[in-house]
Amino acid sequence: MTSHSGPGATRRTLLAAGVAAPLVSVIGGSLTQRATAGAPSILKPLPADRFVDFGTNAEMRWDSVDPRRFLTRQRDLFVRNHTATPTIDRATYALRVHGDGLADPRTESEAHTLSWRDLRALPSTTLTSVHECTGNGRSLFATQQGTPANGTAWTLGSVATVRWEGVRLRTVLRRLGLSPDAVSVQATGLDAPYVSGGVDHGRVRRPFPIAKALDDALLAWGADGAPLLPDHGYPLRLVLPGWVGIGSIKWLGSLEVSRRELTSPWNTTWYRMTGGAYPVDAPPLTVNPVRSAWELPWGATLPAGRSQVLTGRSWSGLAPIRRVDVSLDGGRTWTPARLEDDDRGGHGHHEDHRHHRGRDRGDRGHGWTRWSVRWRRPAPGTTALLARATDRAGRTQPLVTPFNDNGYFFDAVVRHPVTVS
Ligand SMILES: Nc1nc2c(c(=O)[nH]1)N[C@H]1C(S)=C(S)[C@@H](COP(=O)(O)O)O[C@H]1N2
Ligand SMILES: [Mo]
């Protein structure tokens, strides 16, 4: 980065040099909360042919997915809001970074502030990742296993594959200067404090290990070649590829870097396994499991006696998908599906070289894998379609997911009902 005059030049210069004098904190004037009664939590259109609207959350309808399109467009992306989408002005926005895990420790009031221009002056990269809510598939605990769980009754539509654009978090941390003793980073959103059951839990925030920060964490300002939509974190969100969606904090306001383990209710109370057969000290959830979905309406009607191609997708937070087995007769017989995407599980990595600079080649991540199967002249009747995926790390979908109170990680093979007539 070079030093030049104009707003933000001082911070850029300091970032480049890896040293920084205390900067006066400027934030707060940039944020307008939509606190008005009746104001929508989600701002983008949610047409009924593409979304199931749960109020503060909305899931993508799998029957609206175009089998020819690999990436999910932002307009089609599910929304999960604990609060309501805030309106943030990029001109006065700043990301604050503080904590004793910095080489030059900073208290909260002494935080480094990075303006939009500071951030955009950093080397940009692209990264394709599976973006998924921890509770995806939750309603199947009730409908398939007879044990209802607490929370939004998603079917399988709180998942996407997104090609994000932004700057690696490690780039930012290294330029600011990191202590070798740093162990934990806490990301906090600028949306309103989360109030539930009369308790104010403070702003949505979740800590994650420094190893993830230095591996593939991204500060994203765009997706599919456009700025983030307000509902998806404008102007800046964190992306923790492959990890539970709650880790990818939207409307990112601050990062605390610490020499001790940080906590928040989002890793001590929620987003860990409770109830069922789980121990009381089950660890916070991190990497998403393996799951699959058919690109069909739930209870679809399909034509009898006609040969037809059925499509779907499988994904894993850990690794690309290696194989997918499908059953067209409720699980009696199985056949391998034909995989449409290459073994990196994505097409994004050879689409775009414009953003690649220096040693960062971009797109180390992976997306989901599309697949298809030909159904030859099915006989009339009702049956269930099943898909069972295995990822390159060797993880396979189970037939039953052990119950937990909040319905996280439903990864069992789903029985998708269809009628042939
Ligand atoms: N600030 C903030 N970040 C957040 C949330 C939130 O409510 N507030 N929800 C989280 C959850 S639970 C998920 S699954 C993802 C959803 O991201 P999306 O709405 O862009 O799809 O954002 C995460 N980041
Ligand atoms: Mo989530």
Side-chain angles (χ1 to χ4, degrees), residues 57 78-82 131-136 138 154 158 244-247 271 408:
N57 305 317
F78 78 92
V79 184
R80 165 69 174 111
N81 281 350
H82 283 77
H131 177 57
E132 186 174 35
C133 185
T134 326
N136 197 24
R138 177 181 290 122
W154 307 114
S158 61
V244 290
I246 184 59
Y271 302 102
Y408 299 135

Side-chain angles (χ1 to χ4, degrees), residues 302-308 377-381 420-421:
L302 299 168
R306 207 198 287 166
S307 183
Q308 50 207 291
R377 298 159 43 83
V420 178
S421 70

Side-chain angles (χ1 to χ4, degrees), residues 227-251:
L228 292 178
L229 289 180
D231 294 314
H232 299 299
Y234 181 93
L236 190 80
R237 81 178 300 164
L238 178 65
V239 175
L240 300 186
W243 282 34
V244 290
I246 184 59
S248 295
I249 293 293
K250 303 192 275 190
W251 317 294

Side-chain angles (χ1 to χ4, degrees), residues 367-381:
W368 47 27
T369 295
R370 292 174 292 182
W371 44 259
S372 64
V373 59
R374 182 169 288 279
W375 203 3
R376 294 179 201 282
R377 298 159 43 83

